[in-house]
Amino acid sequence: MNASRSVDQVTSVEVAAYTVPTEQPEADGTFAWLSTSMVVVRVTAADGTVGTGWTYGAPACAAIVQDTLADVVHGRSAFDVVGAFDAMVKEIRNIGRPGVAGYAVSAVDTALWDLKARMLDLPLHRLLGAARSAVPVYGSGGFTTYDAARLDRQLDSWVAEQEIPRVKIKIGESWGTRVDRDLDRIRQARARIGNGMELYVEANGGYTRKQAIRVLRAAEDADVTWFEEPVSSDDLHGLREVRDAVTADVAAGEYGYDLTYFARMCAAGAVDCLQADASRCGGITEFQRVAAVAASHGLEISGHCAPHLHAHIAAAIPNFRHLEWFHDHVRIESLLFDGTLDPHGGTIEPTDAPGNGLTLREKDAERYRVAAV
């Protein structure tokens, strides 16, 4: 008994931060950036098996993993992931779960699930209990910094080259002060992808309530079917007001860090589809519970960004709608990992390799490594 327990003990928690420059300046309705940071956690068991998880957060997340969470996980059984998650959440009580601490917990949790699956020689979606073999994705990018030619090229890469039947662009430019350009870009996107494809838009909370309603009504000819964060995701009454006034599905939830956040959003009738991000909300452990909350309200759930982090949990959720094939994260995951997936035809299929099926290319990643702060 003691021997088997020692084999599955977590003996090492390592963390590294990487910052990858964008191809060109990028922005959405309310934020602009020149690079994206990924914090990677590697958890090792006594038998030498290594699990990998990550989050797209500031390098400061790495310091929390290193200084606070590593000791919580060290010495625990790699099979008791939920117990480790609970202990980590309790440990960060005075730090505050929303923000960098929540990102850090998420990275460790996803690494632990990968470790457990690899120790059992199972693909993660089989360990979790597969609900489907293929996960629908939508192409996501369409940044407000793109000119018309660049936007066309990106839309073509999704629709014409990869045959993804649903795409999303950013609107709400400059906190909703460029509505004419927003409408021009929506119509450009519809003209480029044709009438047989789904068109989604995301305002990142850039509009006021009635402004959001006016924008979508003005774009009625473009047949937008998904309106993400038309107003701040903290404005539940505003989301409900927009939801009641437009025909597109209203979605939000990517900034949720705990179960009660999502419960409030669902109870308010604020969304037609709940979003969650396993790299923020508490990893795979909490994502499963969030999906159950959504199901209890008759809602589907959509995975926000980090597509390869979500691939296996998405395959294990019965009420899962689709996963965001986000340009920046697709690029970074393809740069840093072997085993990335192909979205051709509009779906990805998790492999039968153990764990999440990915291997960090350490030499390639090293050039982007930055100090934890």
Side-chain angles (χ1 to χ4, degrees):
M1 193 72 172
N2 290 336
S4 64
R5 190 179 303 125
S6 65
V7 168
D8 60 35
Q9 275 188 335
V10 174
T11 57
S12 172
V13 180
E14 299 175 314
V15 61
Y18 307 96
T19 296
V20 180
T22 57
E23 298 165 310
Q24 64 183 76
E26 295 176 354
D28 55 35
T30 56
F31 190 70
W33 62 95
L34 298 173
S35 63
T36 300
S37 292
M38 170 193 270
V39 175
V40 178
V41 173
R42 304 182 77 188
V43 182
T44 305
D47 70 351
T49 306
V50 178
T52 302
W54 66 94
T55 184
Y56 288 99
C61 298
I64 293 176
V65 173
Q66 183 175 282
D67 299 339
T68 303
L69 301 181
D71 285 345
V72 176
V73 173
H74 192 275
R76 289 180 173 271
S77 168
F79 296 139
D80 299 337
V81 182
V82 176
F85 169 82
D86 185 60
M88 288 191 290
V89 169
K90 289 173 179 174
E91 188 68 22
I92 62 169
R93 189 199 72 171
N94 286 353
I95 299 174
R97 182 167 170 182
V100 292
Y103 284 56
V105 169
S106 301
V108 178
D109 182 83
T110 55
L112 288 170
W113 277 106
D114 183 44
L115 174 62
K116 180 176 180 178
R118 289 175 190 266
M119 291 185 72
L120 296 171
D121 197 29
L122 286 171
L124 182 53
H125 65 288
R126 299 290 183 194
L127 174 62
L128 296 169
R132 63 181 54 79
S133 60
V135 176
V137 300
Y138 65 88
S140 173
F143 304 113
T144 58
T145 47
Y146 284 176
D147 61 19
R150 179 68 183 90
L151 179 58
D152 278 348
R153 288 198 300 273
Q154 188 172 69
L155 293 169
D156 288 346
S157 71
W158 292 326
V159 174
E161 297 172 19
Q162 296 180 318
E163 298 182 5
I164 299 174
R166 53 197 83 85
V167 300
K168 185 177 80 179
I169 67 168
K170 302 287 191 177
I171 59 171
E173 184 174 351
S174 301
W175 288 92
T177 61
R178 300 289 307 278
V179 169
D180 286 347
R181 186 165 188 262
D182 291 340
L183 291 171
D184 286 344
R185 294 176 69 252
I186 292 171
R187 294 184 179 114
Q188 177 193 343
R190 171 53 72 196
R192 194 70 181 185
I193 67 176
N195 292 327
M197 304 292 171
E198 291 187 66
L199 177 59
Y200 300 170
V201 297
E202 178 178 9
N204 289 99
Y207 294 136
T208 62
R209 298 179 185 185
K210 289 191 175 181
Q211 183 186 28
I213 295 168
R214 290 194 297 269
V215 167
L216 213 62
R217 287 179 176 171
E220 187 174 359
D221 57 325
D223 189 25
V224 172
T225 57
W226 171 276
F227 198 2
E228 187 173 330
E229 287 191 319
V231 298
S232 169
S233 55
D234 292 326
D235 182 7
L236 300 182
H237 294 297
L239 288 170
R240 177 62 184 266
E241 186 175 328
V242 176
R243 182 190 178 198
D244 287 345
V246 302
T247 57
D249 281 355
V250 168
E254 66 187 69
Y255 296 110
Y257 292 96
D258 58 45
L259 204 61
T260 55
Y261 173 101
F262 298 100
R264 288 193 297 269
M265 184 167 279
C266 292
V271 294
D272 294 290
C273 184
L274 188 66
Q275 289 179 292
D277 186 332
S279 78
R280 296 175 177 173
C281 74
I284 288 168
T285 298
E286 192 80 322
F287 196 97
Q288 292 181 99
R289 301 204 296 170
V290 173
V293 169
S296 74
H297 288 270
L299 297 176
E300 292 178 315
I301 187 169
S302 177
H304 171 262
C305 290
H308 292 90
L309 190 77
H310 286 97
H312 287 264
I313 183 61
I317 298 294
N319 58 316
F320 195 87
R321 181 181 295 194
H322 49 36
L323 175 56
E324 184 172 14
W325 195 252
F326 182 57
H327 173 74
D328 281 6
H329 295 177
V330 169
R331 176 172 167 261
I332 290 170
E333 289 164 8
S334 297
L335 276 173
L336 302 187
F337 291 103
D338 287 325
T340 53
L341 304 172
D342 181 2
H344 193 273
T347 63
I348 54 174
E349 296 185 14
T351 69
D352 284 330
N356 59 31
L358 300 176
T359 303
L360 181 69
R361 296 202 296 266
E362 295 182 62
K363 290 184 179 179
D364 293 339
E366 193 60 33
R367 61 181 293 200
Y368 302 109
R369 187 163 181 160
V370 295
V373 291

